[in-house]
Amino acid sequence: MNTQNAEFLKKSLLNLGFGDKLNAELDKEMAAKTPEFKLGLQHEFNQKTIDYTLHFKAGDNQDMYFFNKYDATINHKDDPAKNIDQTFFINKGSGITAKEAFNMMEGRAVHKQLYNLEGQKYQAWLTLDDKNLTENGNKKIKHYHENYGYDIDKVIAGKGIKELEDPKAKEELMYSLKKGNAQQITIGGEDGDKKYFIAANPQFKTVDLYDHQMKKIKREELLQTDQKPVRNLKQREQQKEDAPAKKQSRKAKVHV
């Protein structure tokens, strides 16, 4: 068995979010010089089960093995007809991770660093295209190149999101959104903090909003807090005195 090749494959599995549980089976198949084999793994995200089938194939001299793709299935036990299937391709140990695959299959976008035919790096948001399928029924991947002009940092700026006020919390929020997660945010206001979930939506250059039960809500339902919240009664009374007489105090809407 080519130990260097085995270590590369194991490192690839780790980086792609499949962990090390498959290492023993991988060694066994490679030692037996099996020309082509599959390894199965199951994860659970957001209380949903997703099954992975990883495909390995030996090269022409059967000394080198390649991990070129994996199949993913989100299972709906109550209604198997709603199961979602998708195949993701791997290039030299890099590609869509296990969690990113789940997020994309759930309809969210993932931000990745990619390479063009000349080997140059570029950034792009990726989503699965429900309307365009390959001959095998696989959903094609839509690319929203950096030149498309979607800047999620600018989209959520000035919306009263508390996590943006702390550099570390902001970094964690942006990282999570780019991984395709629906991430919880906190909006401060006169009536106290409110919790929402947001997810990137590069197609429409905005973000999708969800309530605490992950039910999609209209963007205009998110309260606008561009102005700092009034913190005490004295400040509220002073604000009323300073406000023009003809205008009534009202909560503005957030447009994101």
Side-chain angles (χ1 to χ4, degrees), residues 6 19 36 38 41 47 52 72 80 82 96 100 102 118 131 134 142 147 159 161 167 174 200-201 218 220 222 227 251:
E36 192 171 348
K38 303 174 185 178
L41 190 67
Q47 299 181 332
Y52 302 95
K82 293 182 179 179
I96 303 297
E100 290 171 345
F102 172 82
E118 288 75 35
K131 297 179 180 179
T134 66
K142 294 178 71 173
N147 294 336
K159 301 299 187 295
I161 299 174
M174 299 305 296
N201 187 333
K218 296 179 180 178
E220 57 266 25
L222 188 60
Q227 297 180 350
K251 294 173 184 175

Side-chain angles (χ1 to χ4, degrees), residues 9-28:
L9 291 175
K10 291 173 185 177
K11 184 177 180 181
S12 298
L13 293 180
L14 198 62
N15 292 338
L16 289 166
F18 294 111
D20 57 6
K21 292 182 179 180
L22 298 176
N23 288 359
E25 291 182 71
L26 180 66
D27 285 341
K28 180 181 178 181

Side-chain angles (χ1 to χ4, degrees), residues 39-69:
L39 299 180
L41 190 67
Q42 186 178 86
H43 283 340
E44 184 175 303
F45 300 117
N46 302 343
Q47 299 181 332
K48 293 184 179 180
T49 301
I50 179 168
D51 290 316
Y52 302 95
T53 302
L54 287 62
H55 296 255
F56 297 85
K57 190 173 183 179
D60 293 337
N61 57 8
Q62 292 192 345
D63 184 50
M64 292 278 291
Y65 279 85
F66 300 92
F67 171 37
N68 294 322
K69 67 178 181 178

